[in-house]
């Protein structure tokens, strides 16, 4: 973050300076009182369980340059160093300050959203751009109403482009994120049924996600996955510039002749500038799709294909997102970060693509936030897993029992076991594991299936 005077912050958020030097500078922003750097602005968020206003004295006492507060400041604050800025709502003030800060920069901003694959696509785009530009990108999962503003504060004038992941789970959230990040172009990976419990229909999900294009204007492009049926419907209705990517024949950027070599995928790119060979250090058709989006974005940003190729080879997957661990006797695919029907299908695709001499085992836990569609979605996923050729399906959780049911109905040849807990699933896994086996572990974040992964890594490392 570049230094900002406190008086500028007060103006940006429509606040009032209760105490402190208006000309002092803030050099970072944090919502975590335990991670404050000297010169930081501390933003106390009122959460469901904890009101962070109680940490204001500690923040000021440990070197914060300033803090927001939506509560009446305590008299004792006067005797602490640092400024105190009164605001109506600390989270809203954080967002308003981030939007103001974003407008200090004229660089291109690529927004990335979708029901599945936001993070991996963001990483792929950043990798493709990295050989020709200085890139700022979203760190981890800082893509939310609080996380995205913190991502924006990472910008400085050494950056030439930003790739910002934008996540939403309810009405109005993407509109706010777009107002903060002001993307100049945007990528939508797909429209699935994640968060359908809140948003009710896929049409609503699509409408909300398309707010990512609110700020791109006539000069900006919307990069859409041409293999997604819900996005394909925009061919007739969207009036702005669309660049299509995918496997379908009518895509501007298309992949054909796809094959795998060890832990890499090769394909032939058909693009407006011709046909070319591409390799990426990742498995699965979804990663080919991510690479197509990255190539399209990077080429439009002026990079050469040679630079894009080199950039893609630097791609590294994120923790708990299809990380492949080749252990002493088995292979583990850690995809435990989160789960939805589409992302589990992608995980199964990677499981089947990994070269192994033994069984292919899928350990799948509950998919959460699917509302009234939950039972059918889990049942259909079980059938999909069995039809894909896996040798065994172990499930964790009550909802995932339907995965086991669907798999058993689809095929009598595979081993199916429904488990109640992660410990039970690991115990069942130990009974069937042999040398050469490959295990996929995946479930919604609330199911904590990373516990199974850690047990596997500990025992078989």
């Amino acid at each position: 973050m570049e230094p900002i005077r406190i008086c500028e912050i007060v103006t940006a958020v429509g606040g009032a300076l209760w105490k402190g030097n208006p000309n002092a500078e803030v050099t970072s922003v944090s919502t975590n009182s335990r991670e404050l750097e000297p010169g930081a602005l501390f933003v106390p968020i009122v959460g469901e369980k904890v009101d962070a206003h109680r940490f204001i004295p500690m923040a000021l006492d440990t070197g914060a340059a300033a803090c927001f507060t939506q509560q009446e400041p305590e008299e004792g604050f006067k005797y602490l160093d640092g400024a105190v800025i009164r605001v109506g709502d600390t989270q809203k003030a954080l967002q308003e300050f981030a939007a103001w800060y974003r407008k200090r920069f004229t660089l291109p901003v690529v927004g990335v959203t979708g029901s599945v694959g936001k993070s991996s696509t963001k990483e792929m785009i950043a990798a493709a751009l990295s050989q020709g530009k200085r890139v700022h990108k979203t760190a981890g999962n800082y893509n939310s109403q609080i996380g995205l503003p913190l991502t924006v504060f990472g910008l400085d004038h050494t950056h030439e482009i930003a790739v910002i992941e934008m996540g939403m789970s309810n009405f109005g959230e993407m509109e706010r994120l777009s107002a903060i990040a002001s993307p100049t172009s945007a990528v939508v990976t797909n429209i699935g049924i994640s968060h359908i419990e809140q948003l009710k229909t896929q049409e609503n999900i699509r409408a909300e996600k398309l707010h990512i294009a609110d700020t791109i204007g006539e000069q900006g492009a919307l990069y859409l996955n041409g293999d997604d049926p819900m996005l394909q419907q925009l061919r007739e209705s969207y009036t702005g510039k669309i660049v299509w990517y995918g496997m379908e024949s009518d895509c501007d950027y298309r992949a054909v002749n796809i094959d795998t070599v060890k832990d890499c995928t090769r394909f032939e790119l058909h693009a407006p500038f011709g046909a070319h060979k591409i390799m990426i250090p990742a498995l699965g058709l979804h990663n080919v799709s991510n690479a197509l989006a990255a190539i399209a974005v990077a080429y439009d940003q002026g990079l050469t294909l040679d630079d894009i190729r080199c950039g893609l080879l630097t791609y590294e997957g994120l923790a708990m997102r299809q990380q492949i661990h080749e252990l002493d006797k088995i292979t583990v695919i850690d995809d435990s970060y989160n789960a939805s029907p589409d992302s589990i299908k992608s995980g199964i695709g990677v499981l089947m693509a990994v070269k192994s001499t033994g069984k292919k085992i899928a350990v799948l836990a509950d998919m959460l936030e699917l509302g009234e569609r939950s039972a059918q979605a889990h049942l259909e996923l079980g059938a999909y897993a069995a039809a894909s050729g896996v040798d065994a399906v172990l499930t964790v959780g009550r909802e995932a029992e339907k995965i086991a049911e669907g798999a058993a109905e689809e095929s009598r040849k595979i081993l199916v076991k429904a488990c109640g807990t992660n410990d039970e699933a690991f115990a069942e896994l130990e009974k069937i594991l042999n040398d050469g086996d490959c295990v996929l572990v995946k479930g919604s974040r609330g199911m904590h299936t990373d516990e199974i992964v850690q047990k596997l890594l500990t025992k078989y490392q």
Side-chain angles (χ1 to χ4, degrees), residues 13-16 53 68-71 85-91 93 96:
V13 302
H53 281 77
F68 286 157
T69 178
Q70 67 186 51
Q71 299 174 359
I85 302 170
R86 289 290 307 274
V87 298
D89 181 288
T90 53
Q91 180 171 314
E96 290 173 340

Side-chain angles (χ1 to χ4, degrees), residues 61-81:
D61 197 44
T62 55
C67 68
F68 286 157
T69 178
Q70 67 186 51
Q71 299 174 359
E72 183 66 32
E74 297 177 15
E75 190 67 21
F77 291 179
K78 292 180 179 179
Y79 306 103
L80 297 172
D81 292 335

Side-chain angles (χ1 to χ4, degrees), residues 293-461:
I295 293 166
V297 169
Y299 191 81
D300 284 353
Q301 291 297 328
L303 273 74
T304 66
L305 185 60
D306 284 343
D307 281 344
I308 294 170
R309 277 200 187 103
C310 291
L312 289 174
L313 291 174
T314 69
Y315 169 77
E316 295 181 1
L318 296 166
M320 297 190 291
R321 292 176 173 92
Q322 296 181 354
Q323 281 192 310
I324 300 175
H325 301 277
E326 294 183 354
L327 306 181
D328 185 30
K329 295 180 179 180
I330 65 170
T331 300
V332 176
I333 304 170
D334 178 6
D335 203 8
S336 58
Y337 181 76
N338 215 335
S340 68
D342 287 336
S343 69
I344 291 186
K345 289 177 182 178
S346 295
I348 290 171
V350 173
L351 172 65
M352 300 310 296
V354 170
K355 299 291 190 293
S356 64
T357 59
K359 300 186 296 297
K360 299 296 180 76
I361 304 169
V363 182
L364 308 175
D366 289 356
M367 299 179 290
L368 305 178
E369 297 185 0
L370 297 184
E372 62 184 19
R373 295 200 187 187
S374 182
Q376 188 63 28
H378 283 85
L379 192 70
E380 291 174 355
L381 187 65
Y384 179 90
S388 297
V390 301
D391 299 293
V393 174
L394 305 184
T395 67
V396 184
R398 180 167 295 180
E399 296 290 323
E401 290 176 4
K402 285 291 184 180
I403 297 178
E405 182 181 331
E409 289 177 356
E410 178 68 24
S411 174
R412 296 179 179 273
K413 296 181 180 179
I414 67 173
L415 172 66
V416 178
K417 179 70 176 180
C419 304
T421 66
N422 289 330
D423 286 343
E424 185 183 343
F426 180 73
E428 292 295 330
L429 195 53
E430 285 187 295
K431 294 177 185 178
I432 64 173
L433 271 176
N434 294 311
D435 293 0
D437 288 352
C438 184
V439 183
L440 166 71
V441 181
K442 190 161 182 64
S444 281
R445 193 74 198 98
M447 299 302 293
H448 305 290
T449 51
D450 53 304
E451 296 172 353
I452 300 173
V453 174
Q454 290 308 311
K455 286 177 180 289
L456 288 169
L457 296 184
T458 300
K459 180 167 184 177
Y460 294 95
Q461 190 72 53

